[in-house]
PDB file of all heavy atoms in Angstrom:
ATOM      1  N   THR A 135       8.369   6.934  -3.126  1.00  0.00           N
ATOM      2  CA  THR A 135       8.759   7.844  -2.070  1.00  0.00           C
ATOM      3  C   THR A 135      10.115   7.420  -1.510  1.00  0.00           C
ATOM      4  O   THR A 135      10.593   6.328  -1.780  1.00  0.00           O
ATOM      5  CB  THR A 135       7.677   7.932  -0.971  1.00  0.00           C
ATOM      6  OG1 THR A 135       8.047   8.909  -0.022  1.00  0.00           O
ATOM      7  CG2 THR A 135       7.511   6.606  -0.271  1.00  0.00           C
ATOM      8  N   VAL A 136      10.727   8.339  -0.784  1.00  0.00           N
ATOM      9  CA  VAL A 136      12.047   8.102  -0.210  1.00  0.00           C
ATOM     10  C   VAL A 136      11.890   7.511   1.182  1.00  0.00           C
ATOM     11  O   VAL A 136      10.995   7.907   1.926  1.00  0.00           O
ATOM     12  CB  VAL A 136      12.818   9.439  -0.124  1.00  0.00           C
ATOM     13  CG1 VAL A 136      14.155   9.248   0.571  1.00  0.00           C
ATOM     14  CG2 VAL A 136      13.017  10.035  -1.510  1.00  0.00           C
ATOM     15  N   SER A 137      12.744   6.554   1.535  1.00  0.00           N
ATOM     16  CA  SER A 137      12.734   6.015   2.892  1.00  0.00           C
ATOM     17  C   SER A 137      14.100   5.444   3.210  1.00  0.00           C
ATOM     18  O   SER A 137      14.801   4.942   2.323  1.00  0.00           O
ATOM     19  CB  SER A 137      11.673   4.926   3.027  1.00  0.00           C
ATOM     20  OG  SER A 137      11.736   4.333   4.309  1.00  0.00           O
ATOM     21  N   ASP A 138      14.487   5.478   4.481  1.00  0.00           N
ATOM     22  CA  ASP A 138      15.713   4.799   4.893  1.00  0.00           C
ATOM     23  C   ASP A 138      15.581   3.287   4.762  1.00  0.00           C
ATOM     24  O   ASP A 138      16.582   2.581   4.683  1.00  0.00           O
ATOM     25  CB  ASP A 138      16.033   5.137   6.363  1.00  0.00           C
ATOM     26  CG  ASP A 138      16.499   6.573   6.538  1.00  0.00           C
ATOM     27  OD1 ASP A 138      16.927   7.188   5.545  1.00  0.00           O
ATOM     28  OD2 ASP A 138      16.436   7.078   7.672  1.00  0.00           O
TER      29      ASP A 138
ATOM     30  N   VAL B  57       6.021   8.381   4.888  1.00  0.00           N
ATOM     31  CA  VAL B  57       7.222   7.785   5.484  1.00  0.00           C
ATOM     32  C   VAL B  57       7.782   8.747   6.524  1.00  0.00           C
ATOM     33  O   VAL B  57       7.918   9.947   6.249  1.00  0.00           O
ATOM     34  CB  VAL B  57       8.291   7.516   4.404  1.00  0.00           C
ATOM     35  CG1 VAL B  57       9.569   6.958   5.035  1.00  0.00           C
ATOM     36  CG2 VAL B  57       7.764   6.566   3.343  1.00  0.00           C
ATOM     37  N   HIS B  58       8.103   8.203   7.710  1.00  0.00           N
ATOM     38  CA  HIS B  58       8.694   9.054   8.752  1.00  0.00           C
ATOM     39  C   HIS B  58      10.013   9.618   8.251  1.00  0.00           C
ATOM     40  O   HIS B  58      10.911   8.878   7.858  1.00  0.00           O
ATOM     41  CB  HIS B  58       8.934   8.255  10.028  1.00  0.00           C
ATOM     42  CG  HIS B  58       9.444   9.099  11.153  1.00  0.00           C
ATOM     43  ND1 HIS B  58      10.465   8.723  11.978  1.00  0.00           N
ATOM     44  CD2 HIS B  58       9.063  10.332  11.572  1.00  0.00           C
ATOM     45  CE1 HIS B  58      10.700   9.678  12.866  1.00  0.00           C
ATOM     46  NE2 HIS B  58       9.861  10.671  12.643  1.00  0.00           N
ATOM     47  N   GLY B  59      10.106  10.923   8.276  1.00  0.00           N
ATOM     48  CA  GLY B  59      11.292  11.591   7.765  1.00  0.00           C
ATOM     49  C   GLY B  59      10.919  12.442   6.583  1.00  0.00           C
ATOM     50  O   GLY B  59      10.655  13.633   6.731  1.00  0.00           O
ATOM     51  N   PRO B  60      10.849  11.843   5.403  1.00  0.00           N
ATOM     52  CA  PRO B  60      10.506  12.657   4.241  1.00  0.00           C
ATOM     53  C   PRO B  60       9.106  13.254   4.311  1.00  0.00           C
ATOM     54  O   PRO B  60       8.867  14.355   3.802  1.00  0.00           O
ATOM     55  CB  PRO B  60      10.609  11.659   3.077  1.00  0.00           C
ATOM     56  CG  PRO B  60      11.509  10.587   3.570  1.00  0.00           C
ATOM     57  CD  PRO B  60      11.285  10.492   5.040  1.00  0.00           C
ATOM     58  N   ASP B  61       8.160  12.551   4.907  1.00  0.00           N
ATOM     59  CA  ASP B  61       6.764  12.978   4.817  1.00  0.00           C
ATOM     60  C   ASP B  61       6.168  13.503   6.127  1.00  0.00           C
ATOM     61  O   ASP B  61       5.159  14.199   6.094  1.00  0.00           O
ATOM     62  CB  ASP B  61       5.895  11.820   4.309  1.00  0.00           C
ATOM     63  CG  ASP B  61       6.278  11.397   2.897  1.00  0.00           C
ATOM     64  OD1 ASP B  61       6.457  12.297   2.060  1.00  0.00           O
ATOM     65  OD2 ASP B  61       6.411  10.197   2.643  1.00  0.00           O
ATOM     66  N   PHE B  62       6.728  13.124   7.237  1.00  0.00           N
ATOM     67  CA  PHE B  62       6.218  13.657   8.508  1.00  0.00           C
ATOM     68  C   PHE B  62       7.287  13.488   9.575  1.00  0.00           C
ATOM     69  O   PHE B  62       8.264  12.747   9.384  1.00  0.00           O
ATOM     70  CB  PHE B  62       4.935  12.937   8.942  1.00  0.00           C
ATOM     71  CG  PHE B  62       5.101  11.466   9.209  1.00  0.00           C
ATOM     72  CD1 PHE B  62       5.530  11.025  10.461  1.00  0.00           C
ATOM     73  CD2 PHE B  62       4.852  10.525   8.225  1.00  0.00           C
ATOM     74  CE1 PHE B  62       5.711   9.661  10.718  1.00  0.00           C
ATOM     75  CE2 PHE B  62       5.031   9.160   8.468  1.00  0.00           C
ATOM     76  CZ  PHE B  62       5.455   8.739   9.720  1.00  0.00           C
ATOM     77  N   ASP B 321      10.489  22.329  -0.680  1.00  0.00           N
ATOM     78  CA  ASP B 321      10.294  20.965  -0.223  1.00  0.00           C
ATOM     79  C   ASP B 321      11.382  20.578   0.763  1.00  0.00           C
ATOM     80  O   ASP B 321      12.235  19.753   0.482  1.00  0.00           O
ATOM     81  CB  ASP B 321      10.305  20.015  -1.423  1.00  0.00           C
ATOM     82  CG  ASP B 321       9.872  18.621  -1.018  1.00  0.00           C
ATOM     83  OD1 ASP B 321       9.481  18.441   0.156  1.00  0.00           O
ATOM     84  OD2 ASP B 321       9.934  17.727  -1.868  1.00  0.00           O
ATOM     85  N   TYR B 323      11.444  18.767   3.288  1.00  0.00           N
ATOM     86  CA  TYR B 323      11.499  17.391   3.771  1.00  0.00           C
ATOM     87  C   TYR B 323      12.523  16.559   3.019  1.00  0.00           C
ATOM     88  O   TYR B 323      13.105  15.635   3.540  1.00  0.00           O
ATOM     89  CB  TYR B 323      10.130  16.727   3.633  1.00  0.00           C
ATOM     90  CG  TYR B 323       9.220  17.016   4.786  1.00  0.00           C
ATOM     91  CD1 TYR B 323       7.940  17.481   4.577  1.00  0.00           C
ATOM     92  CD2 TYR B 323       9.645  16.809   6.097  1.00  0.00           C
ATOM     93  CE1 TYR B 323       7.095  17.730   5.633  1.00  0.00           C
ATOM     94  CE2 TYR B 323       8.810  17.062   7.158  1.00  0.00           C
ATOM     95  CZ  TYR B 323       7.525  17.511   6.924  1.00  0.00           C
ATOM     96  OH  TYR B 323       6.687  17.759   7.962  1.00  0.00           O
ATOM     97  N   ARG B 324      12.695  16.882   1.743  1.00  0.00           N
ATOM     98  CA  ARG B 324      13.623  16.086   0.948  1.00  0.00           C
ATOM     99  C   ARG B 324      15.045  16.163   1.486  1.00  0.00           C
ATOM    100  O   ARG B 324      15.858  15.300   1.208  1.00  0.00           O
ATOM    101  CB  ARG B 324      13.608  16.546  -0.515  1.00  0.00           C
ATOM    102  CG  ARG B 324      12.339  16.219  -1.235  1.00  0.00           C
ATOM    103  CD  ARG B 324      12.382  14.822  -1.826  1.00  0.00           C
ATOM    104  NE  ARG B 324      11.030  14.314  -1.987  1.00  0.00           N
ATOM    105  CZ  ARG B 324      10.724  13.184  -2.597  1.00  0.00           C
ATOM    106  NH1 ARG B 324      11.668  12.437  -3.112  1.00  0.00           N
ATOM    107  NH2 ARG B 324       9.487  12.779  -2.668  1.00  0.00           N
ATOM    108  N   TRP B 326      15.761  16.216   4.649  1.00  0.00           N
ATOM    109  CA  TRP B 326      15.809  15.526   5.930  1.00  0.00           C
ATOM    110  C   TRP B 326      16.536  14.227   5.765  1.00  0.00           C
ATOM    111  O   TRP B 326      16.354  13.511   4.782  1.00  0.00           O
ATOM    112  CB  TRP B 326      14.378  15.288   6.397  1.00  0.00           C
ATOM    113  CG  TRP B 326      14.259  14.855   7.818  1.00  0.00           C
ATOM    114  CD1 TRP B 326      14.238  15.643   8.924  1.00  0.00           C
ATOM    115  CD2 TRP B 326      14.095  13.515   8.277  1.00  0.00           C
ATOM    116  NE1 TRP B 326      14.075  14.868  10.036  1.00  0.00           N
ATOM    117  CE2 TRP B 326      13.995  13.574   9.678  1.00  0.00           C
ATOM    118  CE3 TRP B 326      14.040  12.280   7.657  1.00  0.00           C
ATOM    119  CZ2 TRP B 326      13.818  12.431  10.460  1.00  0.00           C
ATOM    120  CZ3 TRP B 326      13.877  11.150   8.436  1.00  0.00           C
ATOM    121  CH2 TRP B 326      13.766  11.230   9.824  1.00  0.00           C
TER     122      TRP B 326
END
Side-chain angles (χ1 to χ4, degrees):
Chain A
T135 185
V136 176
S137 175
D138 289 340
Chain B
V57 177
H58 184 224
D61 297 314
F62 62 85
D321 190 5
Y323 276 129
R324 290 273 155 173
W326 192 84

